[in-house]
Amino acid sequence: MTRKETRLSKAIQRELERVDGPRIIVASVAIITTDEAAKFEQTGLFVDSGDFAVNAPAPPPRVCGLWAKRNLDGWQEKRKDLPKEMREISSWAPSWNGGGYHLVSRSIEAWPVEHHPARMLTLSAKIVEPLKDGAIVRFRIDQPLDRADSAFAENLQFNLRLLREVVGHAQIYCADISDSEFANLQSVEWELIPPGTAERVLAQLARNRTATAEQLEIASARLKVLERLDHDGFIVGHGKFARYFGAKFGEKLLVLENLEYGNALYVFEENWKELTQLSRTELIKRRDPKVHRLPHLPGWQSAIRKLLRASS
């Protein structure tokens, strides 16, 4: 029986174009709080003594849905893209004389049926970076796919559907990507808040259960400094960056603060959306002249005003 052609969506095709290498893998990376852990128990992720832990890779259980069942049991598909074929069917019918049953056979036209065997794909979860009250977790269908395989499109579509069913989202990556690279891929989510609403920013920061009263008091003082500057709105981070806040100046310039007492503030002259994806260590190593690090030493308020005037 000829293989049914699998048509990948334009969105998947665009993802494939962005991935280098002959082999790809279907995976997902997400920030998960300990409160959300129960939603991902079918992936092998669980909380042990307040910390995340994972089980060994295993096929997702059938309770996850249709694609998990097909992965474990296989399935049959009516091939309505092919011509119907003659098929002989048989059934038992009662005999006229009441002496039992006899076999009756007849020929009918029917769609060809293709049997898809069980795939037994395994899913693994990996803690790529612990966080306070959470973690960055990588979920992955462990079996890489070769682009040169004639069944590549079909297998890719299956893997994407399976991971989305279990985790909620799935993307395409090079099969050689490391777990440390997965940690860096976690995008930063910023909430934009209009000027004149410093109290709203502080309220958002207070929702972070790890924020202490002392830290919020320091954040309030720093927000007052930012409020006095002619900015275009505040930003507050979410997820991994829930302890970050700052102010925008136009489309390019950003001043970024942190709840941690000893941390410096950063001034980004451009590309702040890309640069805020990096860790503090990576920012320092870059020595980018467009990124300025200002420790909170005496006179830092004047230093930031001077820097903003020079950058405008």
Side-chain angles (χ1 to χ4, degrees), residues 117-169:
R119 300 191 175 211
M120 299 302 294
L121 300 171
T122 60
L123 183 150
S124 65
K126 177 71 180 290
I127 311 300
V128 295
E129 185 177 334
L131 305 172
K132 290 185 179 180
D133 291 326
I136 300 179
V137 185
R138 182 270 293 150
F139 302 100
R140 181 181 69 190
I141 301 297
D142 293 314
Q143 291 71 22
L145 301 176
D146 190 335
R147 292 178 189 258
D149 190 338
S150 60
F152 171 73
E154 177 187 347
N155 294 335
L156 174 60
Q157 191 175 77
F158 186 94
N159 289 15
L160 285 168
R161 287 172 172 172
L162 177 61
L163 191 60
R164 284 172 185 153
E165 181 176 75
V166 181
V167 177
H169 39 80

Side-chain angles (χ1 to χ4, degrees), residues 276-295:
T276 51
Q277 309 280 340
L278 305 177
S279 66
R280 291 193 300 274
T281 303
E282 290 171 315
L283 283 172
I284 293 170
K285 286 181 179 178
R286 283 173 64 95
R287 299 181 182 275
D288 192 327
K290 297 294 186 181
V291 179
H292 307 273
R293 183 175 182 271
L294 298 180

Side-chain angles (χ1 to χ4, degrees), residues 1-6 79 81 114 149-151 154-155:
M1 185 178 294
T2 58
R3 185 181 301 276
K4 186 177 182 180
E5 181 183 1
T6 300
R79 291 291 302 275
D81 57 313
E114 181 177 5
D149 190 338
S150 60
E154 177 187 347
N155 294 335

Side-chain angles (χ1 to χ4, degrees), residues 233-305:
F234 291 113
I235 64 167
V236 182
H238 290 278
K240 179 182 177 182
F241 289 80
R243 302 172 71 81
Y244 288 79
F245 62 97
K248 285 178 72 244
F249 299 83
E251 290 301 317
K252 293 183 177 181
L253 195 65
L254 177 80
V255 175
L256 190 63
E257 282 276 14
N258 192 316
L259 276 179
E260 299 294 342
Y261 176 77
N263 283 340
L265 67 83
Y266 285 86
V267 178
F268 300 90
E269 289 191 46
E270 59 184 30
N271 300 328
W272 66 268
K273 289 184 179 179
E274 292 77 16
L275 292 171
T276 51
Q277 309 280 340
L278 305 177
S279 66
R280 291 193 300 274
T281 303
E282 290 171 315
L283 283 172
I284 293 170
K285 286 181 179 178
R286 283 173 64 95
R287 299 181 182 275
D288 192 327
K290 297 294 186 181
V291 179
H292 307 273
R293 183 175 182 271
L294 298 180
H296 291 100
L297 299 174
W300 70 269
Q301 297 94 332
S302 298
I304 187 175
R305 292 189 187 97

Side-chain angles (χ1 to χ4, degrees), residues 90-128:
S90 301
S91 59
W92 291 99
S95 300
W96 287 105
N97 58 11
Y101 294 84
H102 63 282
L103 192 64
V104 177
S105 299
R106 60 193 179 95
S107 295
I108 63 168
E109 278 192 332
W111 301 110
V113 175
E114 181 177 5
H115 176 69
H116 297 271
R119 300 191 175 211
M120 299 302 294
L121 300 171
T122 60
L123 183 150
S124 65
K126 177 71 180 290
I127 311 300
V128 295

